[in-house]
Amino acid sequence: MQRRFHTIATALILTLTTVCGFAAEPHPACRNPRAAVESLFDALQPGRLNPKRATACLDPKGRSPRELREAAQIVKRVFDARARYVRMDELSDDPAWTDPKTGRASVAPHPDLDGIRVVRQADGAWRWTSASLDEAERLYEAQRTWLDDIVERLPAGFQNPVLGVKIWQYLALIVLASLVLALRKVIEYVVRRQVRELAARFGQAWATHLVGTIASPGATLSAAGLLRVTYPALGLPI
């Protein structure tokens, strides 16, 4: 009986030692600010998706594994939609780094998204905080458009990437290009109607030149306007 007790006690001590040893050593992907940020973005690049690595440095508090995977995708979509490129070489690879201005072990991967941060936690690991994930979800909901609702209803095959861009994104770009061409024709038609009376006075050649002069910049501005409105919804990778 005493021998059995000693065996159980030894096993319990070894187990506690092992657990404490693991707890004291942060996940390799979370050892410093740069590694924690890179783990998410690199693991969600088209062609090398790794959901387990993408969520390794996310604070799991209050979220299930599925919710963490969704949160990682949302963080990337927020950065992509706003075209906020993260310069990894500007992030520190020092596990003990602190912000020289605040003295805190906290960094925003991009200054324009200051509410989304990676913080060194009590176990020494750098993680995207729960509050940061909440902020990313809030920004994502604010940027959602009618196109997002359509994309969610598309068959799964449209989500497959080709050369880093999803099939539905290619289709959306084709539609966008078609709209630009259609707008050019509309602009030309409107301009022709407006200058028809002037054509009789100044000559057909002059009117044709005016149509070309106005229609081309008009089409360019229309394309720029459409791109400005639709780019966030396209979610193209950066």
Side-chain angles (χ1 to χ4, degrees):
M1 182 71 178
Q2 187 175 4
R3 184 176 180 181
R4 179 180 298 179
F5 174 77
H6 282 204
T7 302
I8 294 174
T10 301
L12 181 60
I13 291 172
L14 289 173
T15 301
L16 289 173
T17 302
T18 302
V19 170
C20 291
F22 279 128
E25 186 67 27
H27 191 287
C30 316
R31 61 187 178 277
N32 58 61
R34 184 189 302 176
V37 173
E38 199 168 36
S39 69
L40 187 149
F41 288 111
D42 187 62
L44 294 180
Q45 291 301 318
R48 54 175 186 268
L49 294 177
N50 187 340
K52 185 175 181 179
R53 183 175 178 232
T55 60
C57 301
L58 268 57
D59 189 340
K61 184 171 56 180
R63 285 179 170 85
S64 67
R66 180 182 62 81
E67 290 171 333
L68 286 173
R69 290 192 294 270
E70 292 175 353
Q73 291 281 359
I74 286 173
V75 169
K76 187 174 186 303
R77 287 171 188 164
V78 167
F79 278 78
D80 285 350
R82 289 165 170 75
R84 296 300 184 260
Y85 179 74
V86 177
R87 298 185 179 278
M88 298 296 176
D89 58 340
E90 294 182 358
L91 297 174
S92 175
D93 58 0
D94 179 7
W97 179 88
T98 57
D99 188 328
K101 295 181 180 179
T102 65
R104 298 172 57 193
S106 173
V107 60
H110 197 286
D112 290 348
L113 294 169
D114 189 66
I116 302 178
R117 290 182 158 266
V118 173
V119 174
R120 188 176 69 234
Q121 298 187 328
D123 62 353
W126 286 82
R127 295 189 180 91
W128 301 78
T129 65
S130 181
S132 294
L133 301 182
D134 291 341
E135 174 67 4
E137 290 175 357
R138 185 188 70 78
L139 293 174
Y140 176 68
E141 288 300 321
Q143 76 187 29
R144 280 180 62 88
T145 65
W146 55 269
L147 184 57
D148 292 294
D149 295 329
I150 294 176
V151 171
E152 289 177 356
R153 290 177 172 81
L154 291 175
F158 284 88
Q159 301 291 342
N160 294 332
V162 178
L163 300 177
V165 178
K166 296 178 181 178
I167 293 176
W168 75 262
Q169 292 171 325
Y170 281 114
L171 296 175
L173 288 172
I174 292 172
V175 171
L176 178 59
S178 301
L179 287 174
V180 170
L181 293 175
L183 276 174
R184 181 183 177 87
K185 294 298 183 183
V186 170
I187 292 171
E188 289 181 352
Y189 173 75
V190 171
V191 171
R192 282 197 178 96
R193 290 197 60 180
Q194 294 298 320
V195 301
R196 188 171 297 167
E197 294 181 2
L198 295 176
R201 185 181 305 174
F202 295 101
Q204 185 65 36
W206 177 89
T208 302
H209 175 72
L210 180 61
V211 170
T213 301
I214 296 177
S216 294
T220 302
L221 289 173
S222 300
L226 276 174
L227 186 60
R228 174 66 182 85
V229 171
T230 58
Y231 182 85
L234 290 178
L236 295 170
I238 57 173

